[in-house]
């Protein structure tokens, strides 16, 4: 088993409904450790940079608008195979396709308002973590 770190966002639909504790409980129950966490209100520039890979997609404007509409909680999660472990407990992007018991099945509102983001690879996790945390803010 490889000890990994992944990057997580508890999205505006999560903070608005006061669900950050409920989602953190699901994260911890999945064996992941929250080794860094802070609440931020993303600027448009931060959201556009973070989601730059989607800049040509038709939903990009809506995505940036949503992610800047309320505070989010950004996190670094650590654990065995953390990238896959978190994606498994998050569930599918579209909550209609998410497995029972996953965060998105339980809490997500829609494809856009899907409660959480998690990195899709160890490489992207490192890039995403660096956009929000400096090394001394991550305490494993
Ligand atoms: P996330 O994992 O944060 O990465 C990109 C986000 O775009 C995704 O979750 C969804 O919340 C959002 N999104 C909105 N519409 C779509 C769509 N049609 N296809 C994929 N992602 C979408």
């Amino acid at each position: 088993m490889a000890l990994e770190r992944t990057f997580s966002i508890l999205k505006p639909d999560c903070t608005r409904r006061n669900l950050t504790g409920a989602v953190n409980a699901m994260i911890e129950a999945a064996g992941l450790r929250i080794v860094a966490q802070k609440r931020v209100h993303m600027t448009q520039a931060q959201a556009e940079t973070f989601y730059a890979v989607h800049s040509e997609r038709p939903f990009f404007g809506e995505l940036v608008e949503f992610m800047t509409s309320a505070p989010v909680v950004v996190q670094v999660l650590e654990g065995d195979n953390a990238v896959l472990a978190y994606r498994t407990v998050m569930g599918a992007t579209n909550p209609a396709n998410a497995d029972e018991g996953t965060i998105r099945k339980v809490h997500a509102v829609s494809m856009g308002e899907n409660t959480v983001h998690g990195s899709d690879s160890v490489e992207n996790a490192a890039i995403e973590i660096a956009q929000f945390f400096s090394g001394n803010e991550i305490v494993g």
Side-chain angles (χ1 to χ4, degrees):
M1 292 275 219
L3 188 68
E4 291 176 354
R5 284 179 174 173
T6 192
F7 179 72
S8 161
I9 305 177
L10 310 188
K11 296 186 179 186
D13 67 282
C14 182
T15 60
R16 245 187 223 119
R17 292 178 291 156
N18 211 20
L19 291 172
T20 61
V23 172
N24 276 350
M26 293 176 83
I27 289 170
E28 292 181 341
L32 292 159
R33 188 172 290 274
I34 301 164
V35 294
Q37 172 169 257
K38 60 188 169 190
R39 188 172 172 105
V40 299
H41 197 139
M42 275 197 207
T43 63
Q44 178 150 344
Q46 276 178 312
E48 285 176 355
T49 300
F50 185 79
Y51 281 119
V53 67
H54 296 302
S55 63
E56 301 304 320
R57 307 284 289 274
F59 57 84
F60 183 66
E62 203 177 308
L63 176 60
V64 170
E65 191 179 336
F66 171 59
M67 292 301 292
T68 57
S69 67
V72 300
V73 177
V74 291
Q75 304 175 313
V76 180
L77 309 180
E78 187 176 85
D80 289 329
N81 297 318
V83 170
L84 181 61
Y86 190 39
R87 290 181 76 82
T88 301
V89 73
M90 284 196 307
T93 303
N94 184 344
N97 302 327
D99 289 340
E100 291 298 328
T102 60
I103 293 168
R104 285 168 169 163
K105 183 68 174 187
V106 173
H107 293 299
V109 177
S110 64
M111 173 97 96
E113 301 199 11
N114 63 356
T115 313
V116 282
H117 164 85
S119 308
D120 62 6
S121 67
V122 171
E123 294 72 25
N124 284 337
I127 293 166
E128 293 175 358
I129 288 168
Q131 288 180 39
F132 290 94
F133 292 99
S134 57
N136 63 5
E137 291 178 303
I138 304 167
V139 184

